[in-house]
């Protein structure tokens, strides 16, 4: 069964102001319907786990109710990997940016079913969250898993992981913090490796591509691709 979120609980995806129309956004708005279970999760769990966007520095300790290493995730889809990693690493906080309402509803539902407490979700463009809510040196890690590859060469400039964003991410990492990217599109993997290698604040943890870290689960989509002979590339850099 599918249902629309009532207006009073339906978060509105934030669109960039006219001044930002030419900047890279961290998302593409897609259509989708929210199930009744997801709508109930928004209503019952949204007040606790949804973090409103504000153009002001975020106090992470207050946000999570504890002081703990904080990982930023940009774009979590339906939240399957996010919930798995957060359960595996309960000692860490996970601040997750996503604009797709059904995906957020799905993650909220998982949070409720699994009793997780170390996730907060901001339904807003991650680039603006970085610019206005996260001060330099506040993050212990960043996850960017399977961002839109923009397959056509003429659209490559719209890819998320380019030098300006990588510089922002590097600046917000603590020394020793890490940036972990994963993609199943080889051309994008090559670009990610090139861009991260050119950022002076970052260094590669491997000669080129890294072994898949144990904490990142294989998603259903990824398992299907592997069975079809598709590759997956992980890139893990740390801040110097």
């Amino acid at each position: 069964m599918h249902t629309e979120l009532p207006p009073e609980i339906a978060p509105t995806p934030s669109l960039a102001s006219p001044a930002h129309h030419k900047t890279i956004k961290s998302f593409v708005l897609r259509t989708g319907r929210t199930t009744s279970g997801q709508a109930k999760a928004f209503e019952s769990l949204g007040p606790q786990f949804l973090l409103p966007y504000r153009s002001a520095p975020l106090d992470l300790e207050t946000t999570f109710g504890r002081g703990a290493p904080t990982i930023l995730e940009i774009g979590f889809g339906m939240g399957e990997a996010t919930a798995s990693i957060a359960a595996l690493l309960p000692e860490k906080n996970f601040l997750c940016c996503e604009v797709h309402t059904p995906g957020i509803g799905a993650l909220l539902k998982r949070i409720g079913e699994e009793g997780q407490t170390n996730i907060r979700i901001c339904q807003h463009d991650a680039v603006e969250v970085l610019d206005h809510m996260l001060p330099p040196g506040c993050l212990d890690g960043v996850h960017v898993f399977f961002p839109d590859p923009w397959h056509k060469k003429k659209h490559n400039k719209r890819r998320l992981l380019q030098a300006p964003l990588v510089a922002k991410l590097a600046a917000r990492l603590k020394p020793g913090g890490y940036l972990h990217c994963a993609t199943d599109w080889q051309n994008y993997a090559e670009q990610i490796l090139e861009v991260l290698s050119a950022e002076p604040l970052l260094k590669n943890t491997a000669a080129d591509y890294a072994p898949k870290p144990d904490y990142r689960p294989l998603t259903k989509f990824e398992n299907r691709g592997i069975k079809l002979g598709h590759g997956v590339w992980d890139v893990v850099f740390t801040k110097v």
Side-chain angles (χ1 to χ4, degrees):
M1 177 179 178
H2 292 79
T3 183
E4 296 290 350
L5 282 174
E8 65 271 16
I9 64 170
T12 302
S14 173
L15 300 178
S17 65
H20 291 83
H21 278 176
K22 294 184 180 180
T23 62
I24 295 173
K25 297 186 180 68
S26 64
F27 64 92
V28 176
L29 287 176
R30 293 183 172 87
T31 58
R33 296 180 68 82
T34 305
T35 68
S36 59
Q38 292 166 2
K40 289 177 182 176
F42 262 105
E43 188 171 19
S44 62
L45 299 172
Q48 181 179 355
F49 295 102
L50 289 178
L51 182 66
Y53 170 80
R54 293 188 178 91
S55 184
L58 183 65
D59 185 320
L60 291 171
E61 187 167 344
T62 300
T63 298
F64 287 91
R66 65 174 186 172
T70 300
I71 311 300
L72 171 69
E73 181 171 14
I74 299 179
F76 55 74
M78 297 303 286
E80 177 186 352
T82 303
S84 174
I85 296 171
L88 184 66
L89 304 173
E91 74 280 4
K92 295 184 178 180
N93 295 332
F94 291 86
L95 174 61
C96 308
C97 292
E98 176 60 70
V99 298
H100 188 53
T101 299
I104 295 171
L107 180 54
L108 285 170
K109 188 169 179 289
R110 286 178 184 272
I111 288 172
E113 291 169 348
E114 298 174 13
Q116 293 177 293
T117 60
N118 59 335
I119 296 173
R120 297 294 182 273
I121 303 167
C122 187
Q123 186 168 13
H124 197 84
D125 178 9
V127 177
E128 290 196 346
V129 172
L130 281 167
D131 283 342
H132 304 296
M133 296 181 72
L134 296 176
C138 70
L139 298 174
D140 295 86
V142 177
H143 295 169
V144 187
F145 298 153
F146 304 100
D148 195 323
W150 291 103
H151 302 88
K152 294 182 180 179
K153 188 173 182 179
K154 65 180 179 180
H155 291 154
N156 285 177
K157 62 185 178 182
R158 303 182 72 175
R159 287 174 170 172
L160 174 67
L161 289 163
Q162 299 191 50
L165 178 66
V166 170
K168 292 176 190 287
L169 294 173
R172 282 151 184 82
L173 285 172
K174 298 175 182 177
Y178 69 92
L179 171 55
H180 178 188
C181 308
T183 181
D184 58 350
W185 189 251
Q186 185 175 3
N187 176 266
Y188 200 1
E190 293 168 355
Q191 178 184 326
I192 292 171
L193 186 60
E194 180 181 353
V195 172
L196 269 61
S197 296
E199 169 52 53
L201 292 178
L202 298 175
K203 66 176 180 179
N204 201 342
T205 62
D208 42 43
Y209 303 109
K212 183 186 77 66
D214 291 339
Y215 59 77
R216 186 176 73 75
L218 290 175
T219 65
K220 293 178 182 177
F221 172 82
E222 188 176 354
N223 269 318
R224 185 166 63 246
I226 290 172
K227 290 178 181 177
L228 293 171
H230 300 168
V232 175
W233 292 266
D234 286 86
V235 181
V236 182
F237 276 62
T238 56
K239 183 168 181 179
V240 296

